[in-house]
Structure formats: C-alpha cells, structure tokens
Amino acid sequence: MYAERASRLTGAVVWTTVPDGTGTGRVLPDGCMDLLWNEGRLLVAGPDTRAYLTGGADGRWAGVRFFPGTAPALLGVPAHALRDRRADLADLWPAREVRRLAARIDAAPDPARALEDLALSRAADAGPPDPLTHRIVTALAEGRPVARTADELGLGARALHRRSLAAFGYGPKTLARVLRLRRALALARTGVPLAETAARTGYADQAHLTRDVRALTGLPPTELLR
C-alpha cells in the first residue's frame, strides 16, 4: 500500500509503501530526486528519464521526494551524476555516518518521519534553495518554450543547460518533456479525452502525445491510465 503526505520541508513529499509482491511497479519520471529508506538501507533515487521498474523491492520503504532541483545541494552531488540511478547513500557520504543514520531511522517509531528529520537537517545546513532553479521549473511547468524561459531569466542557452544538468540531471528540453508528461497525465486522469488533453498541454496532436508517453513511460496512455 502506498501513501504520501506533504513534508515539513517546503515543496517536498513524504511517502511510504509496502510492496505486495504481486507485480512490477512503475515509477514515472517527474523531475525529482528521492532520499530512500528500506529496512536498514539508505539510498538515493536520481532523476529519471524513463519509467523505473520496481519489481522485487521487498520490505517497508519510506522516501522524501524533493522539489525538482533542490536535492543536489542537500546531497552534495550534482543531479546528472545520479541520472537514471538508484545509489547507496554510502557512495555519496562517509559510510560510517550513513550506518549511524540508518540505525537511528531503523530504531525510530516512525521511520518516514525520522527520514524527513534527516532531510530537514541537511536542508538547514545547505541553506535556502537557489530561487532561479524554482523559476526554471515554474516556467517550464507552465509550458513556456525553453528559449523564452532562458530569455526571461537572463540566461544564455548554454548557461541554462549547465544549470539544468546540475540541478535536474538533464537539460531543460528533457525537463520540459517530463513536466509536460505530468501535466497531460494529471489532466487525462480527470476524464478529459486524449485529443483534448494533447491540445491543452502543448502536444501537436494525440499521436504526438501517445509517442511521448510511450517513450517516457514504456506504455501507451490508455494502458498507463488504467
């Protein structure tokens, strides 16, 4: 069973799940990175460019899903270093410190809250997030073209690309595709027909929507929405 709630860390989400072992899960790209706990292990989920399949994930899981672009400052590693990866936190931080933190979370009455406390502590040490990162996400999430976004932010195309790689793990065009996918799926789940969804979320037509959804998730929209 999966459950989530808003985090005390601005823009983040805390989630928990216990896989039932009956099939493969599918985590869709969302521009985010997650700090994960799984029965004594601490991991980091990097930014995905395609659906991540979760078959065989045993035991309890908890995670903090950070707002896009905010995790690298907390974790101390650029996002592109973890693109399409699930990495042990001990690969990024001193192993002794990670073991201590994992033991503390294991012993907590609520591991998800203890994991959130760890994220909050790291955020306090890292300081406030770069406001430009939030502006990039906001502009692209609203469907503005990448070139227009760069102009509005006073950045050249190369500077925007460099910032995006470090903050999101991929360039602004890929981030825009991922955020458009999220907008389209959210709209389609309300019952809006796919042709209208495509028109309202910036796709050329329904066929374009179908191709992009399949490329990013591995499934056509009709099957994914089921």
Side-chain angles (χ1 to χ4, degrees), residues 181-194 196-198 200-201 221 224-226:
L181 168 75
R182 307 299 297 193
R183 293 198 311 274
L185 292 178
L187 188 60
R189 287 186 181 115
T190 67
V192 175
L194 289 178
E196 183 180 347
T197 293
R200 290 171 58 178
T201 53
L224 187 65
L225 291 167
R226 284 200 297 269

Side-chain angles (χ1 to χ4, degrees), residues 202-217:
Y203 293 91
D205 51 29
Q206 184 176 337
H208 181 201
L209 166 66
T210 298
R211 288 194 303 272
D212 217 42
V213 170
R214 187 188 290 273
L216 290 169
T217 73

Side-chain angles (χ1 to χ4, degrees), residues 153-169:
L153 298 177
L155 295 173
R158 290 184 179 180
L160 177 59
H161 190 79
R162 285 195 302 269
R163 280 181 175 266
S164 295
L165 282 178
F168 311 114

Side-chain angles (χ1 to χ4, degrees), residues 3-222:
E4 67 176 44
R5 62 170 174 82
S7 172
R8 290 170 286 152
L9 180 62
T10 302
V13 171
V14 178
W15 58 267
T16 57
T17 189
V18 180
D20 59 15
T22 60
T24 299
R26 188 176 298 267
V27 180
L28 304 185
D30 56 9
C32 300
M33 295 173 62
D34 293 51
L35 179 62
L36 310 172
W37 169 85
N38 172 228
E39 303 285 1
R41 299 173 64 208
L42 288 171
L43 306 100
V44 177
D48 294 322
T49 59
R50 57 189 179 275
Y52 179 81
L53 304 182
T54 63
D58 296 326
R60 296 177 299 162
W61 287 80
V64 177
R65 182 176 303 117
F66 300 103
F67 185 82
T70 60
L74 278 64
L75 299 173
V77 62
H80 61 77
L82 296 172
R83 182 173 54 235
D84 292 321
R85 290 181 57 198
R86 301 299 185 267
D88 285 328
L89 189 60
D91 293 340
L92 311 178
W93 297 358
R96 183 175 180 180
E97 174 70 2
V98 172
R99 287 195 298 270
R100 183 185 68 80
L101 292 169
R104 187 173 72 191
I105 294 172
D106 288 348
D110 183 352
R113 187 175 181 88
L115 187 69
E116 182 186 21
D117 288 341
L118 170 57
L120 285 164
S121 175
R122 294 291 297 191
D125 290 340
D130 182 356
L132 194 61
T133 299
H134 193 283
R135 291 175 64 191
I136 293 170
V137 175
T138 299
L140 296 179
E142 291 174 353
R144 296 180 204 168
V146 171
R148 178 182 165 190
T149 298
D151 288 342
E152 290 178 349
L153 298 177
L155 295 173
R158 290 184 179 180
L160 177 59
H161 190 79
R162 285 195 302 269
R163 280 181 175 266
S164 295
L165 282 178
F168 311 114
Y170 30 64
K173 290 185 178 179
T174 298
L175 178 61
R177 282 183 70 204
V178 167
L179 296 177
R180 181 174 61 182
L181 168 75
R182 307 299 297 193
R183 293 198 311 274
L185 292 178
L187 188 60
R189 287 186 181 115
T190 67
V192 175
L194 289 178
E196 183 180 347
T197 293
R200 290 171 58 178
T201 53
Y203 293 91
D205 51 29
Q206 184 176 337
H208 181 201
L209 166 66
T210 298
R211 288 194 303 272
D212 217 42
V213 170
R214 187 188 290 273
L216 290 169
T217 73
L219 294 174
T222 50

